[in-house]
């Protein structure tokens, strides 16, 4: 039997007080809706329907190119009404699994149990027991402890409100059954809405077995309605990721001060100090050490790389044995070969540095190709931009560039060249020679510094 997933995402998200649709707010660096979509993909769903509301075009736009069926629910007349918009597009024999665009951390295993039950012809319902069940729909059970219906908080009497077992909202059932029940829904309730939850009572009346299951962890079923709730779930998510990394052998100096907003692959004996943020796709080889306060985005670190404190690294490749920082910035297109050293207050952009070269202090290297065994002296700058165009600097192997040199690109420095400190290099530098561009030093005897008159 086929499986189709329906994601309800038409709610306004008013309590976020944001111009951004709620499901586009990010958790672990990915939009809430993307988390839910990846669950549906884990389950190999044959189709994913997303019910969106007015103003939801931004949401559609953010997922252009994904194979999704978008269904507009013009007016938010309730969760049952939302499903009614989709059900005509789903064939009777198909299993329907209902997910929520703002409940991002549901586990695939939790859902799989439900899908299996629905495929056996039952109605699968995910429930949970909350110490504070206020606001949720309550699970009403009969004398035999069998589920008989769900009552919404606003419709419940005091005895029902005392029930602590709640409806998480997640359910799975065959499309044919769901269709027959949805068509019978009425708005005759406290909120004047079509409640999806009314189908439970109808299923019981039709003799369908309700198979309830519970999530492993409460946070799986927590929805996000406010920035505070978003922050709470973010910490939950981060702590889960940190636990998983530690289980893989990563040393996190403080798992509560580590943020992964994307995908990380790690080798053995990786050590990560506090306040490190890893974003996008990051790969760390064996024995990589990351110092405190480092941000790494979409980059690869080879084995035995050390990133010292306070570095920002983006779209860079750092090969085996390199040492970077403290306070270095590697911008997109930086490619460091093995054993390169990059020191403090150095910025590198769109440049390659070959094996064993050193750029240790206060330099800007842009649009450059630097050979192996090169020493770039303190304060050296490639002047790569003429106000209109960017130009290349090419430095051969075993070059020594003296401190405070400006390399006015385009310019090429031959292998083994030495450039004296303080040079302004505007022409190509020959290999193997010493090149200077320096005004002769002079002294004016007896010169007096001006002083203020009393
Ligand atoms: C719903 C359940 C309640 C459950 C709770 C769990 C119903 C009637 N009640 O209540 O039993 O305990 O979720 O959080 O189902 N949505 C639409 N279109 C609509 C209305 C809602 O797409 O017309 C979407 C929302 O975007 C949201 C989800 O459905 O993702 C739930 O809607 P919400 O208003 O939060 O439902 P609750 O009243 O909290
Ligand atoms: Ca809700």
């Amino acid at each position: 039997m086929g499986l189709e997933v329906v994601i309800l995402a038409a709610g306004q998200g008013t309590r976020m007080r944001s111009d951004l649709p709620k499901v586009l707010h990010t958790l672990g660096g990915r939009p809430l809706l993307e988390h839910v979509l990846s669950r549906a993909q884990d389950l190999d769903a044959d189709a994913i329907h997303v019910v969106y509301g007015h103003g939801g075009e931004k949401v559609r736009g953010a997922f252009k190119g994904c194979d999704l069926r978008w269904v507009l629910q013009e007016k938010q007349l309730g969760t049952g009404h939302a499903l009614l918009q989709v059900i005509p597009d789903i064939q009777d024999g198909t299993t329907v699994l209902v997910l929520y665009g703002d409940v991002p951390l549901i586990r695939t295993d939790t859902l799989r149990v439900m899908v299996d039950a629905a495929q056996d012809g039952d109605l699968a319902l995910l429930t949970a027991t909350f110490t504070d069940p206020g606001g949720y729909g309550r699970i009403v059970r009969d004398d035999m402890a069998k589920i008989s219906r769900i009552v919404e908080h606003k419709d419940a009497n005091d005895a029902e409100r005392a029930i602590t077992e709640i409806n998480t909202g997640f359910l799975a059932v065959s499309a044919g059954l769901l269709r027959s029940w949805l068509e019978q829904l009425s708005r005759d309730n406290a909120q004047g809405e079509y409640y999806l939850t009314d189908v439970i009572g109808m299923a019981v009346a039709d003799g369908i077995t309700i198979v309830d299951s519970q999530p492993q962890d409460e946070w799986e079923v927590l929805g996000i309605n406010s920035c505070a709730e978003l922050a709470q779930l973010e910490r939950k998510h981060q702590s889960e990721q940190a636990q998983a990394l530690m289980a893989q052998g990563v040393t996190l100096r403080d798992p509560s001060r580590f943020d992964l907003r994307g995908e990380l692959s790690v080798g053995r004996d990786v050590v990560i100090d506090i306040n490190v943020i890893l974003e996008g796709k990051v790969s760390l080889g064996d024995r990589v050490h990351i110092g405190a306060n480092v941000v790494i985005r979409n980059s690869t670190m080879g084995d035995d790389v050390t990133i010292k404190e306070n570095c920002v690294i983006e779209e860079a490749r750092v090969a085996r044995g390199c040492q970077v920082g403290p306070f270095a910035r590697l911008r997109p297109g930086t490619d460091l070969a093995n054993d390169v050293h990059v020191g403090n207050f150095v910025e590198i952009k769109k440049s390659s540095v070959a094996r064993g070269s050193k750029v240790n202090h206060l330099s800007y290297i842009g649009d450059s190709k630097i050979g192996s065994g090169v020493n770039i002296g303190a304060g050296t700058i490639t002047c790569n931009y003429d106000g209109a165009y960017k130009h290349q600097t090419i430095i051969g192997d075993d070059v020594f560039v003296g401190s405070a040199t400006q390399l006015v690109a385009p310019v090429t420095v031959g292998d083994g060249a030495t450039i004296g400190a303080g040079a302004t290099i505007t022409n190509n530098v020959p290999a193997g020679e010493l090149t200077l561009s320096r005004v002769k030093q002079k002294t004016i005897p007896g010169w007096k510094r001006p002083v203020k008159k009393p």
Side-chain angles (χ1 to χ4, degrees):
M1 210 182 356
L3 169 69
E4 299 194 19
V5 166
V6 179
I7 301 174
L8 302 190
Q12 303 251 315
T14 337
R15 278 188 283 157
M16 295 298 290
R17 296 176 185 276
S18 164
D19 293 334
L20 190 68
K22 176 161 76 176
V23 295
L24 294 186
H25 281 262
T26 58
L27 182 98
R30 294 154 70 209
L32 298 181
L33 184 56
E34 199 181 307
H35 287 265
V36 182
L37 291 176
S38 64
R39 290 297 83 74
Q41 279 149 6
D42 291 346
L43 291 164
D44 268 331
D46 298 306
I48 304 172
H49 307 260
V50 183
V51 181
Y52 71 105
H54 254 317
E57 277 68 32
K58 271 190 199 165
V59 180
R60 286 188 68 156
F63 289 89
K64 260 203 303 258
C66 295
D67 186 15
L68 301 174
R69 306 207 186 150
W70 295 93
V71 186
L72 176 65
Q73 184 193 21
E74 296 247 13
K75 278 192 186 150
Q76 274 83 70
L77 300 180
T79 48
H81 181 258
L83 253 106
L84 261 173
Q85 314 305 305
V86 185
I87 203 74
D89 301 336
I90 305 180
Q91 292 198 331
D92 277 356
T94 308
T95 297
V96 175
L97 171 67
V98 180
L99 306 181
Y100 296 83
D102 55 359
V103 186
L105 296 182
I106 187 78
R107 279 200 178 98
T108 307
D109 288 345
T110 303
L111 296 174
R112 208 163 264 143
V113 170
M114 299 178 67
V115 171
D116 288 348
Q119 291 187 334
D120 290 341
D122 302 329
L123 186 153
L125 187 67
L126 191 68
T127 75
T129 301
F130 284 180
T131 39
D132 179 14
Y136 288 94
R138 308 296 210 285
I139 306 295
V140 181
R141 291 178 181 264
D142 64 18
D143 300 340
M144 308 291 288
K146 274 192 169 163
I147 294 177
S148 52
R149 63 192 172 89
I150 294 175
V151 59
E152 289 304 301
H153 180 91
K154 287 192 176 134
D155 297 276
N157 60 36
D158 287 347
E160 289 162 341
R161 286 189 182 178
I163 299 171
T164 53
E165 187 182 13
I166 62 98
N167 171 36
T168 65
F170 291 87
L171 71 81
V173 69
S174 91
L177 291 171
L178 186 58
R179 183 192 327 278
S180 67
W181 301 324
L182 289 175
E183 282 163 359
Q184 300 171 49
L185 289 182
S186 91
R187 299 171 71 175
D188 185 16
N189 53 51
Q191 300 183 76
E193 286 183 1
Y194 296 99
Y195 290 165
L196 173 59
T197 44
D198 284 350
V199 307
I200 305 303
M202 295 176 186
V204 171
D206 285 350
I208 300 296
T209 309
I210 314 290
V211 176
D212 63 290
S213 52
Q214 286 70 39
Q216 237 180 84
D217 290 292
E218 190 175 298
W219 46 258
E220 286 184 65
V221 298
L222 294 182
I224 290 166
N225 295 298
S226 63
C227 291
E229 288 173 356
L230 179 60
Q232 274 167 15
L233 270 203
E234 176 75 33
R235 285 337 305 162
K236 254 289 145 233
H237 177 57
Q238 290 302 342
S239 125
E240 286 299 305
Q241 294 190 135
Q243 295 300 325
L245 285 169
M246 292 187 292
Q248 281 181 64
V250 175
T251 300
L252 293 177
R253 293 298 180 207
D254 182 355
S256 71
R257 284 180 289 174
F258 167 74
D259 285 83
L260 169 59
R261 301 174 188 156
E263 274 171 58
L264 172 65
S265 77
V266 285
R268 293 179 74 79
D269 295 301
V270 166
V271 178
I272 299 178
D273 211 327
I274 62 165
N275 295 335
V276 168
I277 301 177
L278 305 180
E279 284 188 1
K281 273 203 166 142
V282 174
S283 155
L284 306 177
D286 294 340
R287 296 170 300 280
V288 167
H289 280 230
I290 311 281
N293 308 317
V294 166
V295 178
I296 303 178
R297 208 169 277 139
N298 295 315
S299 297
T300 302
M301 310 290 121
D303 296 343
D304 300 296
V305 163
T306 298
I307 308 294
K308 296 174 189 164
E309 295 77 1
N310 300 296
C311 292
V312 178
I313 298 177
E314 187 170 5
E315 285 166 44
R317 191 187 72 99
V318 178
R320 174 194 283 269
C322 285
Q323 292 198 28
V324 177
F327 297 101
R329 178 167 181 215
L330 305 184
R331 291 172 53 200
T334 296
D335 188 350
L336 307 184
N338 293 356
D339 304 315
V340 165
H341 290 197
V342 172
N344 44 200
F345 308 109
V346 171
E347 173 182 351
I348 303 184
K349 181 216 83 166
K350 231 185 188 176
S351 296
S352 63
V353 183
R355 186 187 201 105
S357 290
K358 293 180 178 151
V359 192
N360 271 333
H361 323 272
L362 300 144
S363 284
Y364 171 57
I365 305 294
D367 305 296
S368 303
K369 231 183 122 190
I370 297 180
S372 62
V374 169
N375 188 80
I376 304 284
T380 294
I381 285 172
T382 55
C383 309
N384 60 327
Y385 185 50
D386 61 12
Y389 298 100
K390 300 276 167 69
H391 301 282
Q392 268 230 318
T393 299
I394 295 172
I395 297 177
D397 296 336
D398 302 311
V399 168
F400 182 96
V401 179
S403 296
T405 292
Q406 302 122 55
L407 296 151
V408 182
V411 72
T412 298
V413 180
D415 291 347
T418 302
I419 297 174
T424 301
I425 300 296
T426 51
N427 298 314
N428 290 347
V429 172
E433 308 286 359
L434 170 64
T435 299
L436 299 169
S437 91
R438 201 181 274 175
V439 181
K440 255 210 170 124
Q441 180 170 326
K442 64 180 174 188
T443 301
I444 299 170
W447 181 84
K448 288 279 182 296
R449 220 186 286 166
V451 283
K452 271 191 177 160
K453 288 182 182 128

